[in-house]
Amino acid sequence: GAFGMKWDHQGRYLAMVCYCDSVKIWTPGTGALTTLTTQAGYTNTCLDWSPDQGMAVLACYDDEHGVQMWNVETGVCLHTISIKMGARPSVKFSPSGHHVACAVDDAGVTVWDTKTGVKDRVEGRGVEWSKDGEKMAVLTHQGRVRVVDM
């Protein structure tokens, strides 16, 4: 069964995260269904699409290994961000696609630079990017919002 789904920014693909060890990518224009096999036996719980127009990149989280970034067109896993997250994780690309933020209620926010591989940790449990991607709003555990310059 599927846990959640999300269209890519151009409407070419629909990704479905599964309770098993895969992410299903459906291409409505052709009817094709592609399976990205993630780490066997672990639950994929959230995903987001990169806004980068040059490549269909999907980031999805599995509860054992962290965030995996996939080139959907080739089926190749580009990177794995080894982070442990807990309850209710989320993965969110910045509007430029240069950063991906991984947030969770009890473990904070990890921001990863997709170009350099540098990770940074921010105290909080939720994240929202500004439209230009230059700022990130972080929801703190105390219910306040902190704005971080990127």
Side-chain angles (χ1 to χ4, degrees):
F3 183 78
M5 62 185 167
K6 189 167 187 175
W7 287 98
D8 77 313
H9 296 279
Q10 291 79 40
R12 296 177 297 171
Y13 304 105
L14 179 64
M16 296 162 281
V17 291
C18 301
Y19 288 111
C20 55
D21 58 353
S22 66
V23 174
K24 307 282 188 191
I25 308 295
W26 179 48
T27 310
T30 65
L33 184 65
T34 304
T35 300
L36 304 177
T37 303
T38 58
Q39 302 292 338
Y42 297 102
T43 303
N44 297 291
T45 55
C46 58
L47 58 84
D48 195 20
W49 289 94
S50 171
D52 185 351
Q53 302 292 321
M55 180 177 16
V57 176
L58 175 74
C60 60
Y61 172 75
D62 85 50
D63 59 5
E64 179 64 19
H65 298 92
V67 175
Q68 294 179 308
M69 294 179 59
W70 293 84
N71 179 328
V72 172
E73 293 164 353
T74 64
V76 172
C77 181
L78 303 171
H79 305 285
T80 298
I81 308 167
S82 298
I83 58 172
K84 288 286 191 174
M85 295 165 64
R88 297 191 324 218
S90 67
V91 175
K92 197 172 263 194
F93 274 97
S94 66
S96 67
H98 293 134
H99 295 92
V100 63
C102 310
V104 69
D105 277 352
D106 56 356
V109 177
T110 299
V111 181
W112 185 67
D113 185 312
T114 60
K115 304 295 182 199
T116 66
V118 173
K119 286 192 291 187
D120 192 16
R121 189 113 173 119
V122 178
E123 181 63 33
R125 63 179 183 173
V127 64
E128 186 64 40
W129 293 99
S130 64
K131 190 171 185 166
D132 63 5
E134 297 296 320
K135 297 183 184 309
M136 181 178 69
V138 178
L139 179 62
T140 70
H141 294 290
Q142 295 78 27
R144 296 188 177 108
V145 175
R146 188 174 107 196
V147 177
V148 178
D149 289 322
M150 298 307 296

